[in-house]
Amino acid sequence: MKLYEAMFVVDSNRARQDHAKVIEELRAVIEKGGGQVVNCDRWDERKLAYPIAKRRRGTYYLSHFNAEGDAIVRVQRAAELSETVLRVLITVDEDGEAFPVFEVEPEEEGFGDREGRPGRDRDRDRDRDRDRDRGPREPRPAAPMRPVPVEGGSAQ
């Protein structure tokens, strides 16, 4: 048996509603495929690069498990059939160690808070200052008018 590492992307709404239930569903997916779960930890909720199943946000879970080589296909298939899992990536854990993952607790101040994000005000101020440095805009010259040919002579 080898040690594998799986990164699951889960629907954020389900992860927020019941974190323990999502962990149990991920364990069930791995065990259904024939693996033995070593650990399963929540990483973080992020905006996805592109929508997956009409979801724009996903919560990442990292899991380590032991399994035979032929069980990986069954684990991936079980993940595809799961309503909770949006995507999964399974790799061999080369160093053979499963490290504990430290997660940010939702109760902590600023978790998911847009106001506390660094750089947002700085970027807006930079854009405003850049526009101010350019000075007033000059009007664009009018496009030259070309005569439109009329067939059949003049209109009555």
Side-chain angles (χ1 to χ4, degrees), residues 9-61:
V9 180
V10 176
D11 179 20
S12 289
N13 293 330
R14 287 189 185 211
R16 269 189 247 123
Q17 288 174 358
D18 195 359
H19 171 68
K21 185 177 178 185
V22 170
I23 294 277
E24 287 304 314
E25 288 180 21
L26 295 179
R27 287 180 181 270
V29 164
I30 293 171
E31 290 169 359
K32 184 177 182 181
Q36 298 171 348
V37 178
V38 175
N39 68 351
C40 187
D41 297 304
R42 179 180 180 269
W43 264 27
D44 198 9
E45 178 182 336
R46 299 279 178 172
K47 181 180 178 194
L48 301 173
Y50 54 90
I52 301 174
K54 299 182 182 179
R55 309 291 196 296
R56 296 206 175 269
R57 297 190 67 80
T59 303
Y60 289 80
Y61 284 84

Side-chain angles (χ1 to χ4, degrees), residues 57-91:
R57 297 190 67 80
T59 303
Y60 289 80
Y61 284 84
L62 180 68
S63 179
H64 291 88
F65 63 95
N66 292 310
E68 297 294 332
D70 60 345
I72 300 307
V73 176
R74 293 191 304 264
V75 172
Q76 286 178 333
R77 180 67 179 156
E80 288 174 5
L81 295 175
S82 171
E83 293 180 8
T84 305
V85 178
L86 299 176
R87 289 282 191 273
V88 64
L89 174 68
I90 301 174
T91 59

